[in-house]
Amino acid sequence: MNKTYFMWIAIHILVWPIAIWGSDLHLSSQQLASLCLFLIILFIIPLFSEKALLQTILFCVQSLTPLIIFYPADQVLNPYLMLVQALVIAEAVFRLSLTKSIVVMLAQIAGLLLLLTQTALSTYQLAWTVLFYILVMVGLLYFQTVKKSEVEVREKNDVLLDEYRRMKRQLVTEEENARQDERMLIGHEIHDSVGHKLTALLMQLEAFRLNTDEKDKEKVEKLKELAEQSLEETRRAVKSFKQNEVGGLQGLIRLIRKLEMEKFMKINFSVKHGAFAASLTGEQSFAIYRAVQEALTNIMKHSSAREAHISFEAPGGSVFRFEVVNPARANSFFQEGYGLHAMRERLEKVGGTLEIHHDERQFAVRGSIRLTERRG
């Protein structure tokens, strides 16, 4: 519920006991009924926040009930009446528009003028009463004007903020498209130059192997295998360039969703200590992406438990750490292969380290990269 509702309730709880005790009221049945009506309206007015006309009518009725509650005894005007009525006008100005607030004020002034005919006020008392109401109304109307200006400024700010977010999304999309076009261009260049040359090299090696001596065929065969591996790596690189997949934490989230849907892996992903706000460079983000991707690939290839836990953290903003953990079988053989070796080299190139931990319960790949401080 809105905090202002409890604020107005608290103000009335403070004012009414003082007014009743200070006036030494002996409430008749008519006055008690008017007080009950006042409190009922006080509690139900917030329920009609979307119906301004109904709220205006309720405020008009509420502004008239204090006239009955504090009806002048012995033709003496009760000063607490002005306090309660000022409070009613203040809440009306706070909740209603300028025009509807003036309607409530006019209804209250009309009732007050009718009440003043039943009192015997001196010119001095009448002047102070009129001055009090004028000051209250001027102050509240000024508040209403300031409030209206504030609402207009807030609406303009919201429009500008929405426009800024739309332009930012458009800029990100255009940058992503430009990056993808560049990746496609690089992929085509690799395919047309390196790929074709490796294919020609394989053909020449095969022709050389057929015409060489038996003692040299084994060496040529190894050279041919190396060239085939290089060609396969080139094709894989070109394929990755043509994909929309990008590195970094966003790319990892898409990778995790893909593995969960297509490979039925159970992956727990957690981010701690401001990892999303870490100042990673593009090379560092891509290295982390490839490291986690390689770790998940090894889990799919070598682990019987299709389950993993991935965590990122950047404590203090000085270092970025990641960890990929999956359950391991007892006495399972482990030997660091080409994938983990390439992962370590890739992280070391961007100022990072890699640790492999293997025991009877789990297999963990932990990496860390020292972050470069960026000054504005």
Side-chain angles (χ1 to χ4, degrees), residues 101-128:
S101 301
I102 293 176
V103 172
V104 177
M105 291 181 185
L106 293 177
Q108 189 175 97
I109 291 173
L112 182 64
L113 292 176
L114 182 62
L115 186 67
L116 290 177
T117 60
Q118 306 298 321
T119 60
L121 293 179
S122 64
T123 305
Y124 179 78
Q125 292 174 329
L126 183 61
W128 273 109

Side-chain angles (χ1 to χ4, degrees), residues 324-353:
V324 183
V325 181
N326 70 288
R329 292 176 297 179
N331 301 323
S332 59
F333 175 74
F334 165 69
Q335 182 179 3
E336 186 172 322
Y338 173 77
L340 293 176
H341 181 70
M343 186 192 306
R344 178 176 280 107
E345 288 184 348
R346 188 179 290 112
L347 287 173
E348 289 176 352
K349 286 182 180 179
V350 294
T353 59

Side-chain angles (χ1 to χ4, degrees), residues 79-298:
Y80 290 101
L81 170 63
M82 296 185 292
L83 177 62
V84 174
Q85 284 195 322
L87 186 58
V88 173
I89 295 176
E91 187 174 1
V93 170
F94 182 83
R95 296 187 182 278
L96 300 176
S97 64
L98 179 61
T99 305
K100 293 180 173 60
S101 301
I102 293 176
V103 172
V104 177
M105 291 181 185
L106 293 177
Q108 189 175 97
I109 291 173
L112 182 64
L113 292 176
L114 182 62
L115 186 67
L116 290 177
T117 60
Q118 306 298 321
T119 60
L121 293 179
S122 64
T123 305
Y124 179 78
Q125 292 174 329
L126 183 61
W128 273 109
T129 303
V130 173
L131 180 62
F132 172 79
Y133 275 97
I134 290 175
L135 291 177
V136 168
M137 291 180 183
V138 169
L140 292 176
L141 290 175
Y142 176 74
F143 167 80
Q144 184 68 261
T145 304
V146 173
K147 179 183 176 182
K148 182 179 179 181
S149 301
E150 182 183 355
V151 170
E152 291 176 354
V153 171
R154 189 184 301 115
E155 290 176 353
K156 291 179 181 179
N157 290 338
D158 292 340
V159 172
L160 291 175
L161 181 60
D162 292 339
E163 183 68 16
Y164 166 75
R165 288 174 175 172
R166 186 189 64 80
M167 294 179 64
K168 188 175 181 180
R169 287 193 296 267
Q170 183 179 357
L171 179 61
V172 171
T173 302
E174 291 176 355
E175 288 180 353
E176 181 64 27
N177 293 335
R179 190 182 299 112
Q180 186 62 25
D181 292 340
E182 185 178 359
R183 289 163 61 90
M184 291 285 290
L185 180 60
I186 295 173
H188 285 304
E189 290 291 335
I190 294 175
H191 180 269
D192 295 340
S193 59
V194 181
H196 289 171
K197 290 178 180 179
L198 286 174
T199 303
L201 178 60
L202 280 171
M203 295 175 63
Q204 292 179 12
L205 286 174
E206 179 63 20
F208 181 71
R209 187 184 67 84
L210 294 175
N211 297 326
T212 190
D213 298 334
E214 290 293 333
K215 61 180 181 178
D216 295 328
K217 284 187 176 182
E218 184 177 354
K219 295 181 180 180
V220 176
E221 186 65 30
K222 290 182 179 180
L223 292 174
K224 182 182 175 184
E225 291 179 0
L226 181 60
E228 288 177 348
Q229 292 177 2
S230 301
L231 180 60
E232 184 63 28
E233 289 291 335
T234 302
R235 288 173 177 171
R236 189 179 299 114
V238 171
K239 184 178 179 181
S240 65
F241 273 121
K242 292 182 179 180
Q243 291 176 349
N244 291 328
E245 184 179 6
V246 295
L249 302 185
Q250 295 180 351
L252 281 172
I253 293 174
R254 285 195 288 268
L255 175 64
I256 291 171
R257 292 181 59 186
K258 181 179 179 182
L259 292 177
E260 286 183 335
M261 290 187 297
E262 297 180 3
K263 305 298 182 181
F264 301 102
M265 288 189 67
K266 181 181 178 182
I267 300 176
N268 298 316
F269 182 63
S270 61
V271 180
K272 299 178 288 186
H273 303 298
F276 276 130
S279 56
L280 292 167
T281 64
E283 292 180 351
Q284 290 174 336
S285 297
F286 193 74
I288 294 170
Y289 174 80
R290 288 301 185 193
V292 176
Q293 184 185 42
E294 181 66 27
L296 293 175
T297 302
N298 289 337

Side-chain angles (χ1 to χ4, degrees), residues 5-45:
Y5 172 75
F6 296 102
M7 179 189 73
W8 288 112
I9 294 295
I11 294 174
H12 280 281
I13 290 175
L14 179 65
V15 169
W16 273 99
I18 297 175
I20 294 176
W21 176 76
S23 303
D24 194 21
L25 288 178
H26 300 285
L27 297 176
S28 64
S29 58
Q30 187 178 4
Q31 290 174 316
L32 186 60
S34 299
L35 178 61
C36 292
L37 180 60
F38 182 96
L39 296 177
I40 290 173
I41 295 175
L42 173 66
F43 283 105
I44 67 173
I45 273 181

